[in-house]
Amino acid sequence: MRASDAERERIAEVLREAVAEGRLRMEEFEQRLDAAYRARTHGELEPLVRDLPAPGGAAVAPVAGGRPRTGSMARWPDRVGRPATSRGAFAFWGGFSRRGHWTVSRVFTAFAMWGGGEIDLREANFEDGEVVIRCFAIMGGMQVTVPPELNVEVRGIGIMGGFGERAKDDGDPAPDAPRVRITGLALMGGVGVEHKRSKAEKQRLRNAELPSLEKGDREA
């Protein structure tokens, strides 16, 4: 059977937990993670975690039988306290991007002049439960994308430019999510903060709602 994005992400979470606990070497983790995201069937996914326990010590459930949890699947406690993989970004007449599976440091500084930058926290891990992201855009622009459940405070200044939040998807901040304070300056440029779910998260939520919808249809 074909594997879904939600199943691939569940396997990736098990692999990330295993490398954090020292069960996998980094090289082996990277190989398995790459294979997980390239997998197309359940048969390709299951061998990647067959020798690993699920987060919390329980055995990993078979991929085909797994059911996504309802609500947010962010698992915030598992994503906090990781070693930082990036402490800043710089763009001059160019651009930078921080997205996907990366770990933001306690203080992250981004600078863009005559260029642009992208900071995506939807799949990111966090070095600490309190994070400050400092954005400085001079005649340039930055886009910061965060999941709806993240606790975000925006306190930037715009001079002949803009610094602020944009549209927000449904969802309230989670009590166990990290607190992210976004500050900085936009001079003749712009810094936008958008609350938005990733495509993979939206698909996982849709998959989680299907059993309830099917049950309601049967009862009707």
Side-chain angles (χ1 to χ4, degrees):
M1 294 181 62
R2 301 280 291 185
S4 68
D5 287 339
E7 290 163 344
R8 279 187 284 269
E9 184 58 33
R10 187 170 68 89
I11 296 301
E13 289 177 358
V14 174
L15 294 173
R16 287 193 290 271
E17 188 72 18
V19 74
E21 294 176 350
R23 299 179 188 274
L24 289 177
R25 297 189 305 274
M26 183 56 67
E27 180 181 358
E28 187 176 12
F29 163 73
E30 292 173 351
Q31 292 173 350
R32 294 196 191 193
L33 186 65
D34 180 64
Y37 284 120
R38 286 189 290 102
R40 292 291 178 266
T41 66
H42 295 152
E44 294 174 293
L45 283 175
E46 195 169 342
L48 300 175
V49 294
R50 186 174 294 158
D51 58 341
L52 300 173
V60 178
V63 172
R67 176 179 294 181
R69 297 179 296 278
T70 57
S72 173
M73 300 183 183
R75 298 186 61 200
W76 294 114
D78 294 341
R79 294 168 60 178
V80 177
R82 304 293 184 89
T85 60
S86 182
R87 300 187 180 277
F90 177 85
F92 180 73
W93 279 0
F96 69 80
S97 177
R98 297 291 185 276
R99 61 181 304 173
H101 301 284
W102 65 292
T103 302
V104 59
S105 59
R106 290 182 182 87
V107 178
F108 182 90
T109 302
F111 178 86
M113 183 173 182
W114 295 331
E118 175 188 23
I119 302 172
D120 193 333
L121 303 180
R122 290 176 293 179
E123 301 291 337
N125 297 316
F126 299 83
E127 186 179 25
D128 193 78
E130 299 279 345
V131 168
V132 177
I133 296 179
R134 304 186 299 179
C135 299
F136 301 94
I138 301 176
M139 290 181 285
M142 288 188 206
Q143 173 69 35
V144 183
T145 307
V146 302
E149 296 86 0
L150 196 64
N151 295 290
V152 177
E153 178 184 2
V154 180
R155 289 191 176 184
I157 299 173
I159 300 176
M160 290 185 288
F163 199 124
E165 293 182 84
R166 300 178 183 176
K168 182 176 181 180
D169 278 359
D170 61 309
D172 297 320
D176 57 349
R179 296 186 179 275
V180 178
R181 183 156 51 94
I182 301 174
T183 68
L185 172 69
L187 176 62
M188 291 186 288
V191 176
V193 180
E194 183 177 14
H195 300 256
K196 185 179 180 181
R197 299 186 190 279
S198 66
K199 291 182 179 180
E201 177 74 3
K202 290 180 179 179
Q203 184 61 51
R204 290 195 291 267
L205 291 175
R206 283 195 292 267
N207 292 342
E209 292 171 356
L210 283 177
S212 298
L213 294 175
E214 293 173 354
K215 180 179 179 181
D217 292 339
R218 289 195 298 270
E219 292 176 350

